[in-house]
Amino acid sequence: MAQRAQPISGSAGAVAGSFVIAAVLAAFVGIALRAEPGAGLGPAEWQAVRFTVVQAALSALISVLLAVPLARALARRQMPGRRMLITLLGAPFILPVIVAVLGLLAIFGRNGWVNLALDALGLPTVSIYGLHGVVLAHVFFNLPLATRLLLQGWQSIPAERFRLAAQLDLPPWMVFRSLEMPMLLRILPGAAALIFVICLTSFAVALTLGGGPRATTIELAIYQAFRFDFDLAKAAWLSVVQLVLAGGAAGIALWMIPQIPLTGGLDRPVRRWDAKGGGQRVLDVLAILLGSAFLLLPLVSVALSGLAGLEAVPASVWRSAGVSLWVAGLSVCVLLILALPLAGWIATRARGSVEAIGLLGLSASPLMIGTGWFILINPIADPVSLSLPVTAVVNALMALPFALRILVPVLRETLDSQGRLCLTLGMQGWAAWVWVLLPRARPQIGFAAGLTGALSVGDLGVIALFADPDRTTLPLQMYRLMGAYQTEAAAGAALILLSMALAIFWLCDKGGRYSAHA
């Protein structure tokens, strides 16, 4: 594909890719300027490194193990509301982290539903803070992602193979061993690697559920060194370690992530003759009920407590909501400016070549980029005054890997099928984008824009470093309300933030699919 002429050039994509590389390198240069050679890290910092790796590994392992029975049950059961349930299972991935934490506290917290039930039964209560709390939250976020990847894997098994297995009267365990196990061995490592990388760069979860020095991640240690000690040298060294860990893991994940699209292919359940037994049906129903309860009950608790707390919401929350919408809109614009030409460039190249550029958003954490940029900006300008644009750009960089995985397949397919015709008609460059590529990719563009906007409006990352007391985003304002023990106001703010994230995603996704010729 890369050897023949294409109707679009890679120059704009090369410029976008250069900007991404320059943004990460600038942060790295800023970090290198303050990483004093003789300073190094102390025992507390190395404890944070160990905790980061352990919690990420446990989160990835548990997420994929729990996703197997849930995805298998959804793949082989046809039931009313199945499509809606699969859609709802994707909600935690775009859910603002601080909102999800509040929902998990309502279920598993000190006065949560679980502890109230245990106390009523005379059993000892549990604490959500510490390693198990961080892992619990990460499983809540990443179980839907693993489930959707595995669902796509089950959908990729031809229906004829299940029909042949039924004709041969193979027992369920043999069907699993011969048809499903090879698919799992192909997809599970990549899904686990992707979740591991995501959990390595988690910040808000550790900030709210870490529970002390022994449960501190690298991201949280960077924040503490930056905000409380203003020890830029320590923050720089921690950022270097974070870049090495996340960059190495992301590089491995690039080759292990299965080549399966994130959308589509979930509406045609394959008929499964091996799953008609009563025991199989009971296990599937139990998996669906437990998985749905774990993922949806926190959302229900946020909605119920938020409705009761709307009256207690101060005016500052509404101002912060406006700021968050502005940041999200700017993030979407920056994302599209970068992702579209970069995706077009990748689509014209050999697989796996320049696609690694987009992975920099996963390998470089938001706090690492924010720390490096702060060091570079501080001598020439007030970083606080640039907090919102910087936050928007960093959010776009973080969403870029997901956007590319959404956009590249459809652009590559369009160029394969329509590229020669465009060249024959003399339709190249901008004309090819306007009349061929953009119309065919509209649903994917809307999905990528909605995902970016939802993730950006709920992000609690770089803004925590550059916080402006007068102009703050809604997640940070909500965190401050939680720290001030204004629980009712925080619950109301959580409902507002949840509604904003879901509305942004729905509007962009729906707008992309409206009258689109996909």
Side-chain angles (χ1 to χ4, degrees):
M1 182 176 186
Q3 278 70 36
R4 72 168 187 255
Q6 295 291 343
I8 59 173
S9 68
S11 56
V15 172
S18 300
F19 174 82
V20 174
I21 296 174
V24 178
L25 285 180
F28 187 76
V29 168
I31 291 168
L33 292 176
R34 297 305 295 261
E36 301 172 3
L41 302 178
E45 287 73 36
W46 286 116
Q47 169 62 28
V49 174
R50 287 191 294 272
F51 179 82
T52 300
V53 175
V54 169
Q55 63 83 21
L58 287 175
S59 300
L61 179 63
I62 296 174
S63 295
V64 296
L65 289 181
L66 292 181
V68 171
L70 179 57
R72 190 176 189 228
L74 290 171
R76 62 184 189 173
R77 294 298 167 193
Q78 176 73 346
M79 58 186 182
R82 176 180 176 275
R83 183 185 298 184
M84 178 62 68
L85 178 59
I86 293 174
T87 301
L88 289 176
L89 289 181
F93 190 70
I94 63 172
L95 190 67
V97 176
I98 194 69
V99 173
V101 168
L102 194 64
L104 290 173
L105 286 173
I107 304 298
F108 301 99
R110 184 176 303 171
N111 297 316
W113 298 357
V114 171
N115 277 331
L116 290 177
L118 292 175
D119 186 61
L121 296 173
L123 299 175
T125 59
V126 296
S127 173
I128 195 177
Y129 298 100
L131 174 62
H132 48 285
V134 173
V135 172
L136 176 71
H138 283 157
V139 171
F140 173 79
F141 282 112
N142 295 297
L143 176 59
L145 176 61
T147 300
R148 288 184 68 86
L149 286 173
L150 290 176
L151 262 176
Q152 296 281 3
W154 255 288
Q155 292 280 322
S156 68
I157 301 176
E160 292 76 14
R161 296 187 182 181
F162 289 109
R163 185 180 300 114
L164 177 61
Q167 292 172 346
L168 296 175
D169 198 23
L170 296 181
W173 68 269
M174 184 60 74
V175 174
F176 179 79
R177 178 182 174 182
S178 58
L179 296 182
E180 297 172 314
M181 182 59 73
M183 178 273 296
L184 291 176
L185 292 177
R186 177 172 57 90
I187 294 180
L188 281 180
L194 176 61
I195 295 172
F196 179 79
V197 174
I198 294 173
C199 294
L200 276 181
T201 57
S202 172
F203 169 67
V205 170
L207 180 66
T208 51
L209 298 178
R214 296 183 62 84
T216 298
T217 62
I218 300 176
E219 292 277 275
L220 186 54
I222 294 174
Y223 172 74
Q224 291 169 345
F226 192 99
R227 292 292 296 178
F228 298 118
D229 303 330
F230 202 68
D231 189 344
L232 296 181
K234 182 187 294 185
W237 271 111
L238 286 166
S239 299
V240 171
V241 174
Q242 175 79 317
L243 179 63
V244 172
L245 278 177
I252 296 173
L254 175 65
W255 306 108
M256 296 179 65
I257 295 174
Q259 294 296 325
I260 297 176
L262 293 177
T263 58
L266 299 177
D267 300 328
R268 186 181 58 84
V270 177
R271 188 176 180 185
R272 297 289 298 272
W273 291 269
D274 61 302
K276 291 183 177 181
Q280 298 285 329
R281 183 176 289 105
V282 170
L283 290 176
D284 286 348
V285 171
L286 188 61
I288 293 174
L289 289 178
L290 290 178
S292 301
F294 175 66
L295 295 173
L296 299 181
L297 280 180
L299 300 180
V300 173
S301 68
V302 168
L304 294 178
S305 58
L307 289 173
L310 281 177
E311 295 182 356
V313 169
S316 59
V317 167
W318 297 106
R319 290 195 297 269
S320 299
V323 172
S324 290
L325 286 176
W326 185 86
V327 171
L330 184 57
S331 294
V332 171
C333 293
V334 173
L335 182 279
L336 294 180
I337 291 173
L338 293 176
L340 285 174
L342 188 53
W345 185 33
I346 293 172
T348 61
R349 308 279 294 185
R351 295 178 185 270
S353 51
V354 296
E355 193 169 356
I357 296 176
L359 203 64
L360 291 174
L362 284 178
S363 60
S365 70
L367 289 191
M368 192 216 81
I369 295 179
T371 301
W373 287 6
F374 183 95
I375 294 171
L376 293 177
I377 295 173
N378 194 37
I380 58 178
D382 181 15
V384 175
S385 63
L386 300 174
S387 60
L388 299 183
V390 167
T391 300
V393 173
V394 173
N395 287 340
L397 292 177
M398 296 303 105
L400 185 60
F402 302 102
L404 291 179
R405 284 193 63 83
I406 295 167
L407 294 173
V408 169
V410 66
L411 293 181
R412 182 172 278 146
E413 179 185 353
T414 303
L415 289 173
D416 282 341
S417 61
Q418 308 292 332
R420 292 183 183 275
L421 179 60
C422 289
L423 291 174
T424 302
L425 297 176
M427 189 180 298
Q428 301 183 35
W430 181 248
W433 274 104
V434 172
W435 295 106
V436 179
L437 295 177
L438 292 181
R440 292 289 295 272
R442 271 185 55 189
Q444 289 76 17
I445 294 172
F447 183 78
L451 182 65
T452 302
L455 293 176
S456 180
V457 79
D459 179 68
L460 179 61
V462 179
I463 192 64
L465 296 179
F466 292 79
D468 185 345
D470 299 324
R471 292 186 305 166
T472 184
T473 59
L474 185 52
L476 183 57
Q477 184 65 29
M478 180 182 161
Y479 176 72
R480 290 173 177 174
L481 291 174
M482 293 172 63
Y485 299 101
Q486 299 183 36
T487 54
E488 290 187 1
L495 181 59
I496 296 171
L497 184 55
L498 174 62
S499 302
M500 288 169 53
L502 295 179
I504 290 173
F505 178 79
W506 183 83
L507 286 173
C508 292
D509 186 45
K510 190 72 172 179
R513 298 179 187 278
Y514 181 75
S515 297
H517 302 287

